[in-house]
Amino acid sequence: MSRFFSEKYKDLEPYAPGEQPRDQVYVKLNTNESPFPPCEDVIKACAETAPTLRLYPDPDCRDLIKKLSEVYGVCEDEVTVNNGSDETLNFAFMAYCDEGHPAVFPDITYGFYPVFAQINGLPYEEIPLESDFSIDVNKYKGIGKTIFIANPNAPTGIALTLSQIEEILVSNPDNVVVIDEAYVDFGTESTVDLIHTHKNLLVVQTFSKSRSMAGARLGFGIADKSIISDLNAIKYSTNPYNINRITASAGVAALNNESYTRNNCRAIIENREYTVKKLKELGFACTDSKANFIFAKSDKIGGRELYLELKKRGVLIRHFEKERIKDFNRITVGSREQMDALLERIGEIL
Ligand code: PMP
């Protein structure tokens, strides 16, 4: 740290993204990316857009917003797009949290939430998950704070039902409830349709997982138009050109081929169920994940040791040092070949 760095950031603990080592080619199952390439139309759109890079992108992203509103059955002024859903989430922390409205989220959840709170100097509270890693919605009812819930949750993959989320929304009418649906397309019902009945709901989604576009950085928020206008005020006060031209055109192309996305999601769900079954046969305990990852603990080997042994053998999975989950690992669901390679190496190690 230089001597010039602002005092206000002295305690900042930056988010640690999943590692990307370059010493060998790994079976990469550590950052919840899709094993499938983006669809052909996306690749074509990127190539066709490249010659126009001389020009700034459309800050209103009109084509993309129009397409998203059609696909999700909402109005154009109920959608905002950002540079990855991380940016939408950060804007939500900036817009809806302060001393009078602390942020609240589970103790085990997406590791970026506390970082967003810290960088913005915002108070936050973590509510412990139950011993089986489920969320007890009663603990969020009438809490009077700005609520952030990943549904399904990460890294557990466990999902709440729509009616459980509605209970939280109804009991906190004066607070924004952010439902982070990064993994919703792998088997959970989306809350998007609730935005019309619950004006305090902000749904956040991403193109990074189900649409195979993590590298394009494209996320979006869907909510009542008043919330969207708040988030856009922050966007236009930080980086109006947050979606570059290539990403915007790639997003439209992806949305024009929803069947490609749905087929890929089906394959991931099948591979998840296949891998969970095999892991259980090997003595693992797995949570009921509805995401594109598995959260698993072995009765024969510690979480960190398994992660290190797999890395030696060319397979990357994600291990978290946090006390409550240090026996577990998060394993991204990849192609069937990747899953078989993982299972084979685990068999060797055990
Ligand atoms: N929310 C959750 C729960 C996540 O796991 C991730 C991915 N790391 C994100 C949001 C952010 O995804 P992106 O910025 O790629 O849209």
Side-chain angles (χ1 to χ4, degrees):
M1 186 192 306
S2 84
R3 64 198 164 91
F4 310 109
F5 201 39
S6 171
E7 270 289 299
K8 65 177 184 276
Y9 296 132
K10 72 176 183 344
D11 295 326
L12 192 63
E13 286 175 47
Y15 175 71
E19 62 188 324
Q20 301 191 2
R22 295 192 172 182
D23 55 332
Q24 60 166 294
V25 178
Y26 287 92
V27 176
K28 194 168 177 301
L29 305 174
N30 68 332
T31 44
N32 299 342
E33 290 144 328
S34 172
F36 306 115
C39 75
E40 282 294 327
D41 306 328
V42 166
I43 296 164
K44 199 160 149 255
C46 292
E48 282 172 7
T49 307
T52 71
L53 286 180
R54 178 179 68 80
L55 302 167
Y56 281 104
D58 171 13
D60 294 329
C61 296
R62 281 162 293 190
D63 296 339
L64 182 55
I65 297 264
K66 182 165 182 293
K67 198 69 220 173
L68 275 167
S69 71
E70 285 164 17
V71 168
Y72 285 90
V74 295
C75 300
E76 289 175 38
D77 56 9
E78 292 169 333
V79 186
T80 184
V81 285
N82 299 111
N83 192 285
S85 57
D86 280 340
E87 189 176 56
T88 323
L89 290 165
N90 188 32
F91 287 177
F93 273 85
M94 292 167 80
Y96 301 113
C97 302
D98 54 31
E99 286 301 324
H101 306 84
V104 62
F105 40 82
D107 63 337
I108 308 293
T109 189
Y110 184 30
F112 223 141
Y113 298 163
V115 182
F116 289 135
Q118 283 165 25
I119 186 124
N120 293 302
L122 302 168
Y124 66 95
E125 183 191 325
E126 295 177 318
I127 299 184
L129 292 181
E130 303 308 289
S131 55
D132 61 358
F133 296 135
S134 64
I135 289 174
D136 178 358
V137 290
N138 291 316
K139 295 188 174 160
Y140 293 82
K141 281 197 205 157
I143 196 167
K145 295 174 182 159
T146 306
I147 298 171
F148 292 81
I149 289 183
N151 196 50
N153 196 13
T156 64
I158 299 173
L160 291 175
T161 63
L162 280 195
S163 62
Q164 286 177 310
I165 293 172
E166 261 194 298
E167 287 177 44
I168 297 175
L169 287 163
V170 169
S171 65
N172 291 285
D174 298 324
N175 291 89
V176 170
V177 177
V178 180
I179 301 296
D180 176 354
E181 296 190 345
Y183 303 102
V184 75
D185 296 327
F186 304 102
T188 312
E189 234 180 317
S190 171
T191 49
V192 164
D193 289 344
L194 300 183
I195 65 152
H196 297 119
T197 37
H198 300 284
K199 306 286 179 193
N200 56 335
L201 168 64
L202 167 60
V203 186
V204 177
Q205 289 200 19
T206 179
F207 282 65
S208 294
K209 320 290 177 186
S210 56
R211 295 194 173 88
S212 306
M213 282 173 53
R217 312 306 303 128
L218 183 56
F220 55 102
I222 300 185
D224 182 67
K225 65 180 185 191
S226 59
I227 287 188
I228 295 304
S229 118
D230 300 338
L231 298 174
N232 285 340
I234 295 191
K235 159 177 158 146
Y236 279 86
S237 307
T238 50
N239 183 7
Y241 302 117
N242 60 347
I243 309 293
N244 69 68
R245 296 179 76 90
I246 290 182
T247 294
S249 65
V252 172
L255 293 166
N256 277 332
N257 195 343
E258 281 291 275
S259 62
Y260 180 78
T261 299
R262 273 194 301 273
N263 286 340
N264 286 347
C265 290
R266 250 196 305 273
I268 297 286
I269 292 169
E270 271 172 33
N271 291 350
R272 179 181 72 210
E273 302 313 314
Y274 166 83
T275 312
V276 165
K277 186 166 169 284
K278 297 274 182 193
L279 285 173
K280 284 184 176 167
E281 285 165 15
L282 289 167
F284 280 80
C286 303
T287 56
D288 180 21
S289 174
K290 297 281 182 257
N292 68 339
F293 53 80
I294 293 162
F295 196 53
K297 169 178 126 168
S298 166
D299 57 0
K300 301 187 183 70
I301 184 168
R304 186 170 170 73
E305 198 186 347
L306 178 63
Y307 151 74
L308 289 171
E309 289 299 321
L310 279 170
K311 187 172 175 185
K312 271 193 226 159
R313 291 166 174 79
V315 178
L316 284 182
I317 60 172
R318 187 89 196 248
H319 180 254
F320 299 94
E321 292 295 344
K322 215 169 179 168
E323 188 57 32
R324 269 192 90 178
I325 54 171
K326 67 178 177 19
D327 293 338
F328 284 78
N329 286 298
R330 192 195 68 192
I331 304 166
T332 301
V333 179
S335 64
R336 186 58 71 93
E337 295 71 37
Q338 288 178 311
M339 295 292 98
D340 282 334
L342 165 90
L343 291 163
E344 199 184 311
R345 308 286 147 73
I346 291 180
E348 279 165 31
I349 295 164
L350 294 182

